[in-house]
Amino acid sequence: MIDDGSSLTVEMEEEDSPATAFAPREPPKIQRLEESVVNRIAAGEVIQRPVSAVKELVENSLDADSTSISVVVKDGGLKLIQVSDDGHGIRREDLPILCERHTTSKLTKYEDLFSLSSMGFRGEALASMTYVAHVTVTTITKGQIHGYRVSYRDGVMEHEPKACAAVKGTQIMVENLFYNMIARRKTLQNSADDYGKIVDLLSRMAIHHNNVSFSCRKHGAVKADVHSVVSPSRLDSIRSVYGVSVAKNLMKVEVSSCDPSGCTFDMEGFISNSNYVAKKTILVLFINDRLVECSALKRAIEIVYAATLPKASKPFVYMSINLPREHVDINIHPTKKEVSLLNQEIIIEMIQSEVELKLRSANDTRTFQEQKVEYIQSTLTSSRSDPPVSPLLSGQKTQKVPVNKMVRTDSSDPAGRLHAFLQPKSHNLPDKVSSLSVVRSIVRQRRNPKETADLSSVQELIAGVDSCCHPGLLETVRNCTYVGMADDVFALVQYNTHLYLANVVNLSKELMYQQTLRRFAHFNAIQLSDPAPLSELILLALKEEDLDLGNESNDDLKERIADMNTDLLKEKTEMLDEYFSINIDSNGNLSRLPVILDQYTPEMDRVPEFLLCLGNDVEWEDEKTCFQGVSAAIGNFYAMHPPLLPNPSGDGIQFYTKRSESSQDNTELGGNVDMEENLDQDLLSDAENAWAQREWSIQHVLFPSMRLFLKPPAAMASNGTFVKVASLEKLYKIFERC
């Protein structure tokens, strides 16, 4: 009995064993998909949304040598897309295979792709539409007395072509698009969005094909949303489609290359100037007359505009590029919206350089809307201390200054600055000592030491700074007037009758670098109250640079790098202390930093980055290169970067709101939460103090010191550090009739 029971138990365990329960199943059988399934999958790739169908039909009309193309759309194209043209039409004998896959009149063999000049070539567009919609074609060819109408479903004719009355050309109706693709149709319920894409497509087509008239309207509407006529010039086409405000702010740009090594192309187009205002970039790009997209070119142009026109709106760009057809691969995307170019990087770089040159040479004037400012009596009354005006001698005539050359502000008169017109002056100033006057006197008294270190390498670096000085910028810096901050990086300054945007970060970085060289081995010092350990600071900088915050596998490597940099800086402590007043004690603690400008202390949050730069970016073996690298690191550290805390005066105020559960519950219940109660007042106060201190330092320390010490290098004239935004003489030319 025991043996039987035991054997039964063993057998049951064997039946329930994991090996039996998870036995490998046989591999699934590979089957050939039905033709209808294959065609429907392909149709979903080619016809992604209604605008894809419109693009294919319009390109077919252009291939038919049409001079007029009309588009009618209902419900964003889901219910009806009707495209009519006056082209050569379709022959009666071609109608039976018109909507079959891979039937085309554009090519016969693969090699024809390398010399293709038509828009379409795959022979899939019409076929794809018949698999996801109901398609009806009405056409007539030259010499026929009547046309033919036929309907298609799943690539085949539903009936024989019927004779009907027709006008010259072809009319194709696509009805009930995606009727058999429920998921696709539900995602395209916003008809306004899809209709807007169709209007945008035809607007772009109308610009380039200015020898064809286009129209687009909603079904039942009388007025067309796109209506272009045959125009002799492309600029006229842009004016008729996008309006006068766009056309008047465009500049023509052309690039041509006949490099025998293979980079051969011609580009012509229009780009917007500094007066154009828009919220998004519009790039209308045609390559060999084919409307395509190129994200790399778009990004390159946006970079140029961002660097040349700070805080400018997005540009409008139209470009037509022509290059040998064998250099273009048009068969890389089902909808043909992208192409692959030979030497694409070189072409984009040449176009980018030409656009930048065009912008810089044409960016002399900008127009601004006039804003009415309240009259402030206190800013206009003359001071009692002004010297009396001496009467003119008899017979002496006044030297009248033309109004278009009258300087509105003076660098020696603080009342000419922007803030003087925004708030009334205080009447008890004579009773108090102005902090501004104190700072000015200190800055002017603190001249460069005449006795620099007797090192030829330092003398060579200073001589290099002097030899690279731009005389025009030097005159501007010496006599400019600080107007105010335009944003976090750029300040408005005026020189004579010109208004400039000046990059504060670049200017302060160069000033600190030059001052470090000129004060070499003659620094005052900032003594740290609590010496900071180098290894911890460098490790903190390494962690801030690591983008993969969740990866802990590199912590040991970071610690080793921090220890190596610490040991290196400890070895160089004698040289750093003697020449740059950077003191590192025997325990590896930073205890002293140099004073580069009086009344200015750098942002201590950037000390870790500064120490990491000293350890990694300085070439310690060569004397001249070493001094240059350390001075550059000090210049970058002492530069007046924007504070790390977001600016609380703009959208950055959202950074200082508290995210408590009670406030979230109150919001969900529909209560109105007072924003001021949710602000972190301590953090907000620190940010306001930091930004206010920076702006004060820029106005009262940086610009007075620049006038005394800075010798701007020639590179600043072309790298966006100084950008002219207005010229009084040219503004008078614009408004002289007012």
Side-chain angles (χ1 to χ4, degrees), residues 28 43 60 87 145 347 374 382 449 499 596:
N60 285 342
I145 59 175
I347 294 174
E374 293 184 1
S382 59
L499 188 66
I596 307 300

Side-chain angles (χ1 to χ4, degrees), residues 25 70 170 268 294 318 362 371 442 466 580 604-605 682 735:
R25 62 187 182 89
S70 175
T170 303
E268 63 175 10
C294 183
Y318 161 78
Q371 184 176 3
I442 292 176
D466 295 338
F580 299 99
M604 291 302 173
D605 289 338
D682 294 336
F735 296 108

Side-chain angles (χ1 to χ4, degrees), residues 61 79 128 251 289 318 344 417 467 503 603 638 671 688:
S61 297
K79 284 192 175 180
S128 299
M251 304 179 294
D289 297 326
Y318 161 78
Q344 177 172 308
R417 298 200 181 98
S467 63
N503 190 313
E603 190 174 358
Y638 280 75
E688 290 175 344

Side-chain angles (χ1 to χ4, degrees), residues 519-531:
R519 294 190 176 189
F520 188 85
H522 292 84
F523 292 98
N524 290 336
I526 302 173
Q527 192 70 35
L528 301 184
S529 58
D530 295 324

Side-chain angles (χ1 to χ4, degrees), residues 181-225:
M181 301 176 68
I182 306 301
R184 179 79 63 90
R185 192 176 181 89
K186 286 184 177 180
T187 60
L188 299 173
Q189 291 300 320
N190 190 352
S191 59
D193 183 43
D194 285 288
Y195 182 69
K197 294 180 182 296
I198 295 172
V199 169
D200 180 64
L201 169 72
L202 293 176
S203 300
R204 294 167 183 259
M205 288 284 193
I207 291 178
H208 184 75
H209 301 281
N210 55 328
N211 58 341
V212 180
S213 64
F214 290 85
S215 70
C216 177
R217 61 182 177 87
K218 291 183 179 179
H219 183 264
V222 178
K223 183 179 178 181
D225 294 288

Side-chain angles (χ1 to χ4, degrees), residues 657-658 663 666-667 671-679 681:
T657 56
K658 297 179 182 179
S663 63
N666 194 6
T667 303
N672 294 325
V673 181
D674 190 0
M675 184 176 179
E676 294 182 358
E677 296 180 357
N678 288 335
L679 291 176
Q681 296 297 335

Side-chain angles (χ1 to χ4, degrees), residues 136-148:
T136 303
V137 178
T138 303
T139 183
I140 185 173
T141 58
K142 185 178 180 180
Q144 289 183 330
I145 59 175
H146 60 79
Y148 293 92

Side-chain angles (χ1 to χ4, degrees), residues 13-64:
E13 290 178 354
E14 289 179 353
E15 291 178 359
D16 296 337
S17 63
T20 305
F22 298 98
R25 62 187 182 89
E26 294 184 359
K29 183 179 179 181
I30 298 176
Q31 299 178 354
R32 180 179 288 106
L33 289 176
E34 296 182 3
E35 191 70 18
S36 60
V37 177
V38 174
N39 292 333
R40 190 164 297 177
I41 293 174
E45 295 177 352
V46 177
I47 310 300
Q48 298 176 353
R49 51 191 316 134
V51 68
S52 304
V54 174
K55 180 176 182 292
E56 298 288 352
L57 295 175
V58 170
E59 288 180 344
N60 285 342
S61 297
L62 292 173
D63 286 337

